[in-house]
Amino acid sequence: MATPSSQGAPGSPRHAAAEADVDAVVVGAGFAGLYMLHRLRAMGLRVRVFEKGDGVGGTWYWNRYPGARCDTDSVEYSYQFSDALQQEWRWTERFATQPEILRYLEHVADRFDLRRDIAFGTTVTEAAFDDAAGCWRIVTDDGARLSATYCVMATGCLSAVNRPAFDGLDRFAGAWYHTGAWPHEEVSFAGQHVGVVGTGSSAIQAIPLIAAEARHLTVFQRQANYTVPARNAPLDEAEYAAIRESYGELRRQASETPTGCWWAVNPAAAEEMSAEERERELEDRWQVGGLRMYGVFKDVLVNGEANDIAASFIRDKIRAQVRDPEVAALLSPRSYVGCKRICLDTDYYATFNRPNVTLVDISEAPIEEITPTGLRSGGRDYALDAIVFATGYDAMTGPLFRIDIRGRGGRPLQATWADGPRTYLGLAVEGFPNLFTITGPTSPSVLTNMVPAIEQHVEWIAGCIAHARGTGRPCIEASRAAEDSWMAHHEEVAGGTLFPSCNSWYVGANVDGKPRRVMPYTGGFPDYVETCDAVAANGYEGFTLSAA
Ligand code: NAP
């Protein structure tokens, strides 16, 4: 297996443990893994990447469901580490489709000659720190083994599919799919009775397209979600030329917003505005579309009254679009807006006016079982030819727990995090030396534009590894005190927001038995980056260095 492809730049510091096969193993070849490989390789490290899929792309390799596209504007959902790359690539639409994002990542892999260090179709099953040798011992699903001084988990936040264990699925006579593991082959629903379970971002994108194709679509909804029009459109030449010219400035502006996106957050709190001003702000953001509803008032995610104003505006919009008042009421969420991820849609609510679409409320009558001919809920049988599970992910911790990760003394990560994830900066874990997580739990990650968040982590990790190697004490580990202090800050900030109030994947509420904790850092991207930079500037404060 895994032959290291380069021996490190002449004169570069040698890797820590003489017997380590490579300097670094990176798990995953999505946005995070690709850039991590590029960065570490540029430092002269011998790197091996393992990727479960047969190609690059991560999330964008697996999510091939109808309508899959990104909710962040394509021109900013892209790398900025190479200006040449961002100047040469041409996005065609405001919100890129999954195939276009995948083409982009394939282009990146080729442009930077990344594939030669990636083992595709290979799942990492174990990663254990060897105390004596001071290196990570990696095992893959083909039984092969490799040792590495550093181990970087570029496993994504939303890559461990959550498919609830519904009784009877194995006896279902029709075809079933999960949005997060969609087949590569064309799937046709023409002439079929189709059921979609779930009404999150994935379902909200897929439902209008499935409804247009299927004979009948039944949507099984547990909680309604807020969705805002995407207002997707092609990007014309003049618009694109202007973006290319000001890319640097737009990126800089984005880095100063809490979400790392270049739309502005309203500097005013709801109560500082008149009713007319609030209505105008809401309507403007609704008309422009996209996720900017998150910034409608500066306090929309921390103040229940401000949030109610935004929530009732969206509920009015739902009533205006859905003809049947009972269906409109069912589609109207009762929770705060934004404490579950706001969705973007194209014609979602209008789809429920179609004669071939039925909405079934399963909030009080959970799915009892999948039958050979469909699904039973609330004592009623629904006949289905195909079922689409749009049931989401075991977010943030799930991708890490699907690997048997063991730190010092064989301590399992899963047991260490039995009460919820604990990290230092969402990047490192006490007791797990030389292990890094890109956009790990307690980093801003999913509450920001993921690509800049990934780039910031990759660059920080690269700097940290360079520092450790440069000191001649290449083993670097977060201290317990630093982790405690970061976690206290993380929890204090989260406690001041509305996030804990919702049953969302942000808090692990979608997975049975998962401890309830706000997982992403809610203090905003600029504050977080400032903290990470200060830690680095202070000689990686909160970390201890050792020879092995
Ligand atoms: P999700 O938001 O977690 O939605 C899953 C849906 O399945 C929810 O409606 C959930 O109901 C339902 N569900 C889960 N378990 C169920 C069960 N046992 N019985 C019945 N219903 C069940 O997952 P997702 O839609 O895949 O999206 C996850 C995240 O991925 C998004 O929030 C977003 O961050 C990202 N994403 C982004 C894009 C994009 O950029 N365009 C697209 C797709 C996804 P409850 O709400 O009651 O839990």
Side-chain angles (χ1 to χ4, degrees):
M1 85 172 264
T3 319
S5 65
S6 71
Q7 291 301 313
S12 67
R14 292 304 306 153
H15 54 286
E19 75 277 17
D21 298 321
V22 292
D23 295 308
V25 153
V26 175
V27 187
F31 268 101
L34 290 178
Y35 184 36
M36 193 76 247
L37 166 61
H38 178 60
R39 201 68 196 212
L40 292 177
R41 200 201 258 170
M43 288 160 54
L45 268 65
R46 300 165 309 143
V47 187
R48 194 66 180 156
V49 179
F50 293 107
E51 167 54 54
K52 180 177 164 189
D54 289 331
V56 298
T59 290
W60 299 105
Y61 175 89
W62 299 103
N63 277 266
R64 296 165 189 251
Y65 61 84
R69 60 171 79 233
C70 186
D71 282 352
T72 301
D73 286 56
S74 51
V75 289
E76 51 176 334
Y77 191 80
S78 51
Y79 294 116
Q80 57 191 297
F81 71 83
S82 160
D83 191 50
L85 170 66
Q86 73 181 359
Q87 291 295 334
E88 79 199 9
W89 185 260
R90 171 66 162 94
W91 295 103
T92 62
E93 292 178 80
R94 178 178 177 193
F95 296 107
T97 60
Q98 174 272 332
E100 189 169 24
I101 301 172
L102 189 57
R103 276 199 300 281
Y104 170 76
L105 288 169
E106 286 170 346
H107 169 72
V108 170
D110 293 335
R111 191 187 195 286
F112 297 100
D113 186 23
L114 300 176
R115 293 178 202 269
R116 66 186 158 89
D117 284 329
I118 307 174
F120 291 106
T122 309
T123 302
V124 171
T125 52
E126 290 172 42
F129 187 70
D130 180 331
D131 292 85
C135 68
W136 283 88
R137 304 229 175 255
I138 310 295
V139 182
T140 55
D141 58 350
D142 53 5
R145 290 163 189 277
L146 186 79
S147 60
T149 308
Y150 300 98
C151 179
V152 183
M153 293 296 169
T155 38
C157 297
L158 294 159
S159 54
V161 159
N162 171 42
R163 186 172 56 73
F166 295 117
D167 282 347
L169 184 57
D170 52 335
R171 295 189 298 277
F172 180 53
W176 62 266
Y177 310 90
H178 191 287
T179 48
W182 201 262
H184 287 211
E185 307 75 49
E186 188 88 1
V187 173
S188 171
F189 294 116
Q192 296 188 8
H193 286 255
V194 181
V196 171
V197 180
T199 50
S201 296
S202 304
I204 281 173
Q205 290 184 330
I207 282 168
L209 297 182
I210 297 176
E213 191 186 25
R215 183 160 167 212
H216 191 91
L217 170 65
T218 308
V219 176
F220 298 91
Q221 173 184 278
R222 192 165 65 178
Q223 294 177 84
N225 256 314
Y226 293 95
T227 167
V228 168
R231 311 221 187 267
N232 184 41
L235 288 166
D236 70 36
E237 263 326 310
E239 197 181 349
Y240 213 91
I243 288 167
R244 275 196 178 117
E245 244 173 58
S246 47
Y247 237 134
E249 177 55 19
L250 290 166
R251 298 289 201 179
R252 193 197 56 71
Q253 283 173 20
S255 72
E256 291 174 359
T257 72
T259 60
C261 294
W262 64 44
W263 45 263
V265 173
N266 182 352
E271 66 175 11
E272 293 163 355
M273 303 166 75
S274 68
E276 294 72 33
E277 286 168 335
R278 289 197 291 257
E279 187 67 18
R280 206 176 316 124
E281 189 73 33
L282 284 157
E283 189 62 37
D284 281 356
R285 287 178 190 254
W286 182 268
Q287 291 307 334
V288 178
L291 290 173
R292 50 186 36 75
M293 193 58 84
Y294 270 114
V296 65
F297 313 125
K298 84 169 179 204
D299 56 345
V300 73
L301 293 174
V302 295
N303 177 340
E305 284 171 25
N307 194 289
D308 283 342
I309 295 168
S312 85
F313 172 88
I314 300 179
R315 286 194 287 260
D316 286 348
K317 292 289 189 189
I318 297 171
R319 278 191 288 275
Q321 293 173 81
V322 179
R323 282 198 291 270
D324 181 332
E326 276 181 34
V327 177
L330 272 182
L331 288 168
S332 298
R334 278 159 275 176
S335 59
Y336 287 126
V337 57
C339 69
K340 286 180 78 170
R341 162 75 143 66
I342 297 177
C343 307
L344 295 193
D345 75 277
T346 301
D347 299 332
Y348 178 66
Y349 292 121
T351 298
F352 292 90
N353 295 330
R354 295 178 63 108
N356 71 331
V357 175
T358 309
L359 180 65
V360 175
D361 173 19
I362 55 167
S363 59
E364 305 290 330
I367 294 170
E368 288 155 42
E369 65 170 319
I370 308 296
T371 65
T373 55
L375 178 161
R376 184 172 308 126
S377 157
R380 186 172 160 194
D381 281 311
Y382 297 86
L384 301 169
D385 302 306
I387 303 176
V388 174
F389 295 105
T391 45
Y393 299 89
D394 182 352
M396 304 197 80
T397 50
L400 298 169
F401 290 167
R402 291 189 185 185
I403 302 169
D404 185 2
I405 301 175
R406 289 170 187 262
R408 281 194 192 283
R411 198 167 99 197
L413 183 69
Q414 194 156 4
T416 308
W417 287 0
D419 296 329
R422 293 179 43 85
T423 80
Y424 182 33
L425 302 171
L427 280 159
V429 184
E430 183 261 335
F432 295 76
N434 289 358
L435 177 78
F436 297 96
T437 51
I438 301 180
T439 62
T442 86
S443 77
S445 58
V446 292
L447 297 180
T448 65
N449 178 357
M450 284 302 291
V451 186
I454 284 168
E455 287 182 297
Q456 185 261 343
H457 266 197
V458 166
E459 288 161 15
W460 193 95
I461 292 166
C464 180
I465 290 176
H467 170 79
R469 283 161 56 91
T471 62
R473 288 175 299 153
C475 192
I476 186 157
E477 180 178 354
S479 72
R480 180 71 189 193
E483 194 177 276
D484 284 348
S485 152
W486 173 252
M487 289 309 297
H489 171 64
H490 168 79
E491 275 159 28
E492 186 190 346
V493 180
T497 70
L498 301 174
F499 287 104
S501 70
C502 282
N503 288 328
S504 71
W505 59 259
Y506 290 142
V507 300
N510 63 325
V511 174
D512 285 345
K514 195 164 173 171
R516 193 177 176 111
R517 291 273 182 284
V518 176
M519 290 185 287
Y521 176 63
T522 54
F525 195 49
D527 283 7
Y528 175 78
V529 173
E530 202 181 305
T531 305
C532 291
D533 289 349
V535 166
N538 292 333
Y540 293 88
E541 193 175 10
F543 286 90
T544 52
L545 289 159
S546 59

Short mmCIF file of all heavy atoms in Angstrom, two decimals, residues 137-174:
data_model
loop_
_atom_site.label_atom_id
_atom_site.label_comp_id
_atom_site.label_asym_id
_atom_site.label_seq_id
_atom_site.Cartn_x
_atom_site.Cartn_y
_atom_site.Cartn_z
N ARG A 137 -0.41 5.26 14.05
CA ARG A 137 -0.46 4.02 13.28
C ARG A 137 -1.85 3.95 12.64
O ARG A 137 -2.87 3.92 13.34
CB ARG A 137 -0.23 2.82 14.19
CG ARG A 137 1.11 2.93 14.95
CD ARG A 137 1.93 1.68 14.86
NE ARG A 137 3.24 1.89 15.49
CZ ARG A 137 4.37 2.05 14.82
NH1 ARG A 137 4.39 2.01 13.50
NH2 ARG A 137 5.52 2.25 15.46
N ILE A 138 -1.84 3.94 11.33
CA ILE A 138 -3.08 4.03 10.56
C ILE A 138 -3.38 2.66 9.94
O ILE A 138 -2.47 2.02 9.40
CB ILE A 138 -2.91 5.06 9.40
CG1 ILE A 138 -2.34 6.39 9.91
CG2 ILE A 138 -4.21 5.24 8.63
CD1 ILE A 138 -3.21 7.16 10.86
N VAL A 139 -4.64 2.25 10.04
CA VAL A 139 -5.06 0.99 9.42
C VAL A 139 -6.20 1.31 8.46
O VAL A 139 -7.09 2.11 8.78
CB VAL A 139 -5.53 -0.04 10.48
CG1 VAL A 139 -5.91 -1.37 9.82
CG2 VAL A 139 -4.46 -0.26 11.53
N THR A 140 -6.16 0.70 7.29
CA THR A 140 -7.23 0.95 6.31
C THR A 140 -8.07 -0.31 6.09
O THR A 140 -7.68 -1.40 6.54
CB THR A 140 -6.64 1.43 4.97
OG1 THR A 140 -5.67 0.48 4.54
CG2 THR A 140 -5.99 2.78 5.11
N ASP A 141 -9.19 -0.15 5.41
CA ASP A 141 -10.15 -1.27 5.29
C ASP A 141 -9.60 -2.43 4.48
O ASP A 141 -10.17 -3.52 4.51
CB ASP A 141 -11.50 -0.79 4.73
CG ASP A 141 -11.37 -0.12 3.38
OD1 ASP A 141 -10.24 0.15 2.94
OD2 ASP A 141 -12.42 0.14 2.75
N ASP A 142 -8.51 -2.23 3.77
CA ASP A 142 -7.90 -3.36 3.06
C ASP A 142 -6.86 -4.05 3.95
O ASP A 142 -6.11 -4.91 3.49
CB ASP A 142 -7.29 -2.91 1.73
CG ASP A 142 -6.32 -1.74 1.89
OD1 ASP A 142 -6.05 -1.35 3.06
OD2 ASP A 142 -5.83 -1.21 0.88
N GLY A 143 -6.81 -3.64 5.23
CA GLY A 143 -5.92 -4.30 6.18
C GLY A 143 -4.50 -3.74 6.15
O GLY A 143 -3.65 -4.17 6.94
N ALA A 144 -4.25 -2.77 5.29
CA ALA A 144 -2.90 -2.22 5.20
C ALA A 144 -2.63 -1.27 6.36
O ALA A 144 -3.56 -0.75 6.99
CB ALA A 144 -2.74 -1.50 3.87
N ARG A 145 -1.36 -1.08 6.65
CA ARG A 145 -0.94 -0.24 7.78
C ARG A 145 0.09 0.77 7.31
O ARG A 145 0.90 0.48 6.42
CB ARG A 145 -0.29 -1.11 8.87
CG ARG A 145 -1.28 -1.97 9.55
CD ARG A 145 -0.66 -3.11 10.34
NE ARG A 145 -1.75 -3.98 10.78
CZ ARG A 145 -2.49 -3.75 11.87
NH1 ARG A 145 -2.21 -2.74 12.66
NH2 ARG A 145 -3.48 -4.56 12.18
N LEU A 146 0.08 1.92 7.97
CA LEU A 146 1.04 2.97 7.63
C LEU A 146 1.27 3.78 8.89
O LEU A 146 0.33 4.02 9.65
CB LEU A 146 0.44 3.87 6.53
CG LEU A 146 1.35 4.93 5.94
CD1 LEU A 146 2.31 4.31 4.92
CD2 LEU A 146 0.52 6.02 5.25
N SER A 147 2.49 4.23 9.13
CA SER A 147 2.73 5.10 10.28
C SER A 147 3.02 6.51 9.79
O SER A 147 3.56 6.71 8.70
CB SER A 147 3.87 4.56 11.13
OG SER A 147 5.05 4.49 10.38
N ALA A 148 2.64 7.47 10.63
CA ALA A 148 2.80 8.88 10.25
C ALA A 148 3.05 9.70 11.50
O ALA A 148 2.48 9.42 12.56
CB ALA A 148 1.53 9.37 9.56
N THR A 149 3.89 10.73 11.37
CA THR A 149 4.13 11.59 12.54
C THR A 149 2.86 12.40 12.85
O THR A 149 2.48 12.53 14.00
CB THR A 149 5.30 12.54 12.24
OG1 THR A 149 6.40 11.77 11.79
CG2 THR A 149 5.69 13.33 13.49
N TYR A 150 2.24 12.93 11.81
CA TYR A 150 1.04 13.76 12.01
C TYR A 150 -0.16 13.10 11.32
O TYR A 150 0.00 12.43 10.29
CB TYR A 150 1.25 15.17 11.43
CG TYR A 150 2.41 15.88 12.09
CD1 TYR A 150 3.67 15.90 11.51
CD2 TYR A 150 2.25 16.49 13.34
CE1 TYR A 150 4.75 16.52 12.14
CE2 TYR A 150 3.31 17.11 13.97
CZ TYR A 150 4.56 17.12 13.38
OH TYR A 150 5.61 17.72 14.02
N CYS A 151 -1.32 13.32 11.92
CA CYS A 151 -2.54 12.76 11.34
C CYS A 151 -3.58 13.88 11.30
O CYS A 151 -3.88 14.50 12.33
CB CYS A 151 -3.04 11.60 12.22
SG CYS A 151 -4.56 10.86 11.60
N VAL A 152 -4.06 14.17 10.11
CA VAL A 152 -5.02 15.27 9.96
C VAL A 152 -6.35 14.70 9.48
O VAL A 152 -6.42 14.05 8.44
CB VAL A 152 -4.52 16.33 8.95
CG1 VAL A 152 -5.50 17.50 8.88
CG2 VAL A 152 -3.12 16.82 9.32
N MET A 153 -7.38 14.94 10.28
CA MET A 153 -8.71 14.47 9.92
C MET A 153 -9.41 15.55 9.08
O MET A 153 -9.82 16.59 9.60
CB MET A 153 -9.54 14.17 11.18
CG MET A 153 -9.01 12.99 11.96
SD MET A 153 -9.16 11.47 10.98
CE MET A 153 -8.17 10.35 11.97
N ALA A 154 -9.48 15.28 7.78
CA ALA A 154 -10.17 16.19 6.85
C ALA A 154 -11.46 15.49 6.44
O ALA A 154 -11.78 15.38 5.26
CB ALA A 154 -9.28 16.48 5.66
N THR A 155 -12.16 14.99 7.46
CA THR A 155 -13.28 14.06 7.24
C THR A 155 -14.62 14.77 7.05
O THR A 155 -15.64 14.10 6.85
CB THR A 155 -13.36 13.08 8.42
OG1 THR A 155 -13.07 13.78 9.64
CG2 THR A 155 -12.35 11.97 8.29
N GLY A 156 -14.63 16.10 7.14
CA GLY A 156 -15.87 16.83 6.89
C GLY A 156 -16.78 16.86 8.11
O GLY A 156 -16.62 16.09 9.06
N CYS A 157 -17.75 17.78 8.08
CA CYS A 157 -18.70 17.92 9.18
C CYS A 157 -19.98 17.14 8.90
O CYS A 157 -20.69 16.73 9.81
CB CYS A 157 -19.07 19.39 9.37
SG CYS A 157 -17.68 20.42 9.84
N LEU A 158 -20.29 16.98 7.62
CA LEU A 158 -21.57 16.37 7.23
C LEU A 158 -21.28 15.25 6.24
O LEU A 158 -21.66 15.32 5.07
CB LEU A 158 -22.47 17.45 6.62
CG LEU A 158 -22.91 18.54 7.60
CD1 LEU A 158 -23.33 19.81 6.88
CD2 LEU A 158 -24.05 18.04 8.48
N SER A 159 -20.57 14.24 6.71
CA SER A 159 -20.21 13.15 5.80
C SER A 159 -20.62 11.78 6.34
O SER A 159 -20.57 10.81 5.60
CB SER A 159 -18.69 13.17 5.54
OG SER A 159 -17.99 13.16 6.76
N ALA A 160 -21.01 11.73 7.62
CA ALA A 160 -21.46 10.44 8.17
C ALA A 160 -22.99 10.41 8.06
O ALA A 160 -23.71 11.07 8.81
CB ALA A 160 -21.03 10.30 9.63
N VAL A 161 -23.46 9.66 7.09
CA VAL A 161 -24.90 9.62 6.80
C VAL A 161 -25.69 9.13 8.02
O VAL A 161 -25.29 8.19 8.69
CB VAL A 161 -25.11 8.67 5.58
CG1 VAL A 161 -26.52 8.14 5.50
CG2 VAL A 161 -24.71 9.40 4.30
N ASN A 162 -26.80 9.80 8.30
CA ASN A 162 -27.71 9.37 9.37
C ASN A 162 -28.94 8.74 8.72
O ASN A 162 -29.77 9.43 8.15
CB ASN A 162 -28.14 10.59 10.21
CG ASN A 162 -29.24 10.24 11.20
OD1 ASN A 162 -29.20 9.19 11.83
ND2 ASN A 162 -30.23 11.11 11.33
N ARG A 163 -28.97 7.43 8.78
CA ARG A 163 -30.17 6.74 8.28
C ARG A 163 -30.77 6.01 9.46
O ARG A 163 -30.24 4.99 9.89
CB ARG A 163 -29.83 5.77 7.14
CG ARG A 163 -31.07 5.14 6.52
CD ARG A 163 -30.74 4.34 5.28
NE ARG A 163 -29.75 3.30 5.51
CZ ARG A 163 -29.97 2.16 6.17
NH1 ARG A 163 -31.15 1.93 6.71
NH2 ARG A 163 -29.01 1.27 6.30
N PRO A 164 -31.83 6.58 10.05
CA PRO A 164 -32.41 5.94 11.23
C PRO A 164 -32.72 4.47 10.94
O PRO A 164 -33.04 4.11 9.80
CB PRO A 164 -33.69 6.75 11.47
CG PRO A 164 -33.46 8.05 10.78
CD PRO A 164 -32.58 7.77 9.61
N ALA A 165 -32.60 3.66 11.98
CA ALA A 165 -32.78 2.20 11.80
C ALA A 165 -34.27 1.87 11.76
O ALA A 165 -34.84 1.35 12.71
CB ALA A 165 -32.10 1.47 12.95
N PHE A 166 -34.93 2.19 10.63
CA PHE A 166 -36.35 1.88 10.50
C PHE A 166 -36.52 0.37 10.35
O PHE A 166 -35.84 -0.25 9.51
CB PHE A 166 -36.94 2.58 9.28
CG PHE A 166 -36.94 4.09 9.39
CD1 PHE A 166 -36.21 4.85 8.51
CD2 PHE A 166 -37.69 4.73 10.37
CE1 PHE A 166 -36.21 6.24 8.60
CE2 PHE A 166 -37.69 6.11 10.47
CZ PHE A 166 -36.94 6.87 9.58
N ASP A 167 -37.44 -0.17 11.12
CA ASP A 167 -37.74 -1.60 10.99
C ASP A 167 -38.24 -1.89 9.58
O ASP A 167 -39.02 -1.09 9.03
CB ASP A 167 -38.85 -2.02 11.97
CG ASP A 167 -38.31 -2.18 13.38
OD1 ASP A 167 -37.07 -2.22 13.51
OD2 ASP A 167 -39.12 -2.21 14.32
N GLY A 168 -37.87 -3.01 9.05
CA GLY A 168 -38.48 -3.51 7.82
C GLY A 168 -37.84 -3.05 6.53
O GLY A 168 -38.24 -3.50 5.45
N LEU A 169 -36.84 -2.18 6.61
CA LEU A 169 -36.26 -1.64 5.37
C LEU A 169 -35.73 -2.77 4.47
O LEU A 169 -35.85 -2.70 3.25
CB LEU A 169 -35.16 -0.62 5.70
CG LEU A 169 -34.55 0.09 4.50
CD1 LEU A 169 -35.62 0.81 3.67
CD2 LEU A 169 -33.48 1.08 4.94
N ASP A 170 -35.19 -3.79 5.11
CA ASP A 170 -34.62 -4.89 4.31
C ASP A 170 -35.70 -5.66 3.54
O ASP A 170 -35.40 -6.39 2.60
CB ASP A 170 -33.82 -5.84 5.22
CG ASP A 170 -34.63 -6.31 6.42
OD1 ASP A 170 -35.57 -5.60 6.82
OD2 ASP A 170 -34.33 -7.40 6.94
N ARG A 171 -36.96 -5.48 3.91
CA ARG A 171 -38.04 -6.20 3.22
C ARG A 171 -38.74 -5.32 2.18
O ARG A 171 -39.64 -5.76 1.50
CB ARG A 171 -39.06 -6.73 4.23
CG ARG A 171 -38.48 -7.78 5.18
CD ARG A 171 -39.57 -8.44 6.01
NE ARG A 171 -40.27 -7.49 6.88
CZ ARG A 171 -39.82 -7.10 8.07
NH1 ARG A 171 -38.68 -7.59 8.55
NH2 ARG A 171 -40.50 -6.23 8.79
N PHE A 172 -38.33 -4.08 2.08
CA PHE A 172 -38.98 -3.15 1.14
C PHE A 172 -38.72 -3.63 -0.30
O PHE A 172 -37.57 -3.86 -0.69
CB PHE A 172 -38.44 -1.74 1.35
CG PHE A 172 -39.04 -0.70 0.45
CD1 PHE A 172 -40.42 -0.55 0.36
CD2 PHE A 172 -38.23 0.12 -0.34
CE1 PHE A 172 -40.98 0.42 -0.47
CE2 PHE A 172 -38.78 1.08 -1.18
CZ PHE A 172 -40.15 1.23 -1.24
N ALA A 173 -39.79 -3.76 -1.07
CA ALA A 173 -39.64 -4.31 -2.43
C ALA A 173 -39.18 -3.26 -3.42
O ALA A 173 -38.67 -3.60 -4.51
CB ALA A 173 -40.98 -4.90 -2.89
N GLY A 174 -39.35 -1.99 -3.09
CA GLY A 174 -38.95 -0.94 -4.03
C GLY A 174 -37.50 -0.53 -3.84
O GLY A 174 -36.74 -1.19 -3.14
#
